[in-house]
């Protein structure tokens, strides 16, 4: 299988672009350039145009990359980011997941600089203007391109067991300000192994490789969500004047649904109740009471499906003091009584 050391040597295109970078550094300098600005530079330095045509041919730089880039019946594609290519501002019609195998990755996303180190992951939504830059020999960066429909199916299907977190990710990835992304800091050998396996699969393209890539992609999402949400950051962090750890807040609510209070939650995370209300609304679109009720019903569903506990005990474990309140909420959420819900899982 391919290894990081196999990816470190510069290929022919990178050698040519590095030579041009050393000869004409201004073309690569920040701030990031538009495609029109890049083409002006190409006209002034015809050698750039020749090198671009030599290695990219019909895929010369354009403002937007569409899903036509994928092969027929291919939902996931992998490209190693070409080092030393001049960065220019563009967007995609698909999701892009960037993983830093070695070195660093820098990208201007709607004007703000994002920097990732080794093991860093960036999930970039479609239609987000960005300009990636890799100008060092040891920058080994893999771009995983995923059709929008495939990403939504894989990612949100995994999150179906936690609708609250699913809504949070959906909001994070559909920011109205054009800066929709998630980042994770991993440096996780298991994550790196999955990425290398995907690179190997995509390069060999053996029979069923597309199906294999989707399965590995699903496993990658599970690892990120299971082990690395504590390191996650989103573009939404920039919208608030404090640094919320929303996943920690949601996890604490979930783990303490039996006897949690709004005041205790705010105190636990050193927020005022007003700040906490703003935080929850910003990241989930819900208030504390609504989130708590939904998590309690989710817990009840899990217990009814996977245990033989009496319904009265289920109610107690979910933190309801008023049984009638539980029955009303459960029927509203699930469309069934608790007994009907449990029977639906009996073969």
């Amino acid at each position: 299988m391919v290894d990081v050391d196999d990816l470190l040597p510069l290929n022919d295109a990178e050698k040519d672009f590095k030579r041009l970078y050393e000869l004409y550094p201004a073309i690569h300098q920040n701030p990031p350039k538009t495609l029109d600005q890049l083409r002006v530079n190409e006209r002034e330095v015809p050698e750039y145009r020749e090198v671009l045509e030599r290695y990219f041919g019909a895929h010369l730089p354009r403002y937007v990359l569409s899903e036509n880039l994928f092969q027929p019946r291919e939902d996931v594609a992998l490209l190693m980011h070409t080092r030393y290519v001049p960065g220019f501002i563009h967007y995609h019609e698909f999701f892009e997941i960037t993983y830093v195998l070695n070195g660093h990755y820098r990208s201007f996303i709607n004007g703000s600089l994002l920097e990732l180190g080794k093991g860093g992951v960036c999930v970039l939504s479609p239609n987000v203007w960005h300009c990636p830059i890799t100008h060092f020999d040891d920058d080994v960066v893999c771009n995983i391109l995923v059709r929008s429909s495939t990403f939504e199916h894989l990612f949100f299907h995994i999150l179906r067991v936690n609708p609250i977190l699913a809504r949070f990710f959906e909001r994070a990835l559909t920011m109205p300000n054009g800066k929709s992304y998630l980042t994770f800091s991993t440096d996780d050998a298991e994550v790196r192994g999955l990425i290398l396996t995907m690179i190997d699969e995509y390069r060999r393209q053996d029979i069923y490789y597309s199906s294999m890539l989707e399965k590995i992609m699903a496993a990658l999402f599970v690892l990120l969500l299971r082990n690395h949400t504590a390191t996650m950051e989103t573009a939404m962090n920039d919208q608030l004047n404090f640094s919320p750890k929303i996943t920690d807040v949601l996890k604490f609510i979930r783990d303490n649904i039996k006897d949690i209070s709004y005041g205790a939650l705010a105190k636990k995370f050193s927020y005022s109740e007003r700040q906490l209300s703003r935080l929850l609304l910003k990241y989930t679109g819900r208030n504390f009471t609504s989130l708590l009720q939904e998590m309690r019903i989710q817990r009840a569903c899990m217990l009814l499906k996977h245990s033989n506990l009496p319904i009265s005990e289920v109610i107690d474990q979910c933190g309801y003091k008023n049984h009638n309140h539980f029955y009303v909420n459960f029927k509203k959420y699930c469309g069934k009584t608790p007994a009907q819900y449990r029977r639906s899982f009996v073969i």
Side-chain angles (χ1 to χ4, degrees):
M1 187 177 77
V2 67
D3 189 72
V4 175
D5 289 342
D6 301 325
L7 303 169
L8 275 170
L10 300 179
N11 59 34
D12 289 343
E14 290 167 331
K15 290 176 182 176
D16 278 343
F17 281 113
K18 180 180 180 180
R19 177 176 55 81
L20 292 171
Y21 169 71
E22 292 171 340
L23 287 171
Y24 311 104
I27 292 180
H28 300 255
Q29 287 174 355
N30 299 327
K33 294 176 171 59
T34 65
L35 189 55
D36 288 341
Q37 290 170 330
L38 182 63
R39 285 171 173 159
V40 168
N41 286 322
E42 288 174 9
R43 288 195 293 271
E44 293 175 353
V45 185
E47 193 176 3
Y48 260 107
R49 183 73 181 184
E50 295 169 9
V51 173
L52 283 167
E53 288 181 345
R54 184 185 317 155
Y55 293 107
F56 293 98
H59 300 289
L60 282 173
R62 58 194 69 182
Y63 280 119
V64 56
L65 295 178
S66 74
E67 291 194 348
N68 292 334
L69 180 146
F70 294 86
Q71 297 180 33
R73 292 188 287 277
E74 178 182 80
D75 293 316
V76 180
L78 280 84
L79 301 173
M80 301 307 298
H81 189 85
T82 305
R83 287 163 283 190
Y84 294 104
V85 169
F88 66 95
I89 303 168
H90 65 284
Y91 70 89
H92 310 143
E93 292 181 349
F94 43 82
F95 279 86
E96 180 180 66
I97 301 167
T98 298
Y99 180 79
V100 184
L101 284 156
N102 198 73
H104 294 82
Y105 172 78
R106 291 153 293 277
S107 183
F108 285 88
I109 301 178
N110 203 32
S112 296
L113 178 62
L114 170 69
E115 297 188 77
L116 297 175
K118 181 180 177 182
V121 179
C122 177
V123 181
L124 187 69
S125 294
N127 306 315
V128 175
W129 292 97
H130 63 290
C131 175
I133 301 168
T134 50
H135 287 164
F136 297 94
D137 286 10
D138 63 351
D139 292 340
V140 181
V141 177
C142 178
N143 293 322
I144 306 169
L145 317 180
V146 188
R147 290 186 190 269
S148 293
S149 58
T150 302
F151 179 92
E152 290 164 7
H153 168 72
L154 291 175
F155 194 73
F156 292 107
H157 179 73
I158 290 166
L159 279 168
R160 73 190 188 283
V161 298
N162 193 337
I164 302 293
L165 200 57
R167 277 197 295 273
F168 160 62
F169 280 112
E170 187 175 16
R171 289 172 72 85
L173 290 169
T174 55
M175 288 285 289
N177 64 357
K179 277 175 41 177
S180 303
Y181 64 85
L182 305 171
T183 66
F184 300 85
S185 299
T186 69
D187 202 16
D188 181 327
E190 198 169 3
V191 170
R192 184 165 56 255
L194 289 178
I195 298 294
L196 291 170
T197 300
M198 292 181 75
I199 294 171
D200 195 52
E201 279 287 333
Y202 193 73
R203 287 185 169 185
R204 291 189 291 113
Q205 298 202 358
D206 288 343
I207 189 170
Y208 307 126
Y209 83 93
S210 186
S211 296
M212 180 66 80
L213 287 174
E214 284 192 39
K215 300 300 183 188
I216 301 172
M217 190 82 252
L220 176 64
F221 288 153
V222 168
L223 284 180
L224 291 174
L225 295 171
R226 176 190 289 169
N227 299 332
H228 300 291
T229 53
T231 72
M232 185 187 65
E233 295 185 6
T234 81
M236 288 193 291
N237 289 2
D238 297 335
Q239 307 304 305
L240 301 173
N241 59 7
F242 53 94
S243 300
K245 291 294 184 181
I246 183 63
T247 52
D248 292 342
V249 172
L250 294 176
K251 184 176 184 297
F252 189 81
I253 298 173
R254 184 194 66 197
D255 293 344
N256 296 275
I257 59 171
K258 188 173 179 178
D259 54 10
I260 193 170
S261 71
Y262 188 53
L265 180 66
K267 185 175 181 181
K268 165 71 178 177
F269 290 94
S270 301
Y271 294 134
S272 70
E273 292 188 9
R274 184 176 179 180
Q275 279 183 315
L276 181 59
S277 175
R278 183 181 170 208
L279 169 69
L280 292 175
L281 187 62
K282 179 73 178 182
Y283 281 77
T284 71
R286 310 284 289 282
N287 61 32
F288 171 76
T289 300
S290 177
L291 289 171
L292 181 60
Q293 294 288 4
E294 186 167 340
M295 288 188 183
R296 283 176 167 172
I297 297 300
Q298 291 169 15
R299 175 71 59 82
C301 289
M302 185 273 292
L303 293 172
L304 290 167
K305 182 177 179 180
H306 298 293
S307 79
N308 294 316
L309 289 174
I311 292 177
S312 60
E313 180 64 21
V314 170
I315 295 172
D316 180 64
Q317 289 205 20
C318 293
Y320 281 93
K321 304 295 188 273
N322 185 315
H323 285 212
N324 287 335
H325 190 204
F326 168 78
Y327 280 102
V328 169
N329 281 344
F330 192 94
K331 182 71 178 289
K332 180 181 178 181
Y333 186 84
C334 299
K336 301 176 180 180
T337 67
Q340 289 170 335
Y341 182 87
R342 171 171 272 170
R343 284 198 298 271
S344 69
F345 293 99
V346 177
I347 299 175

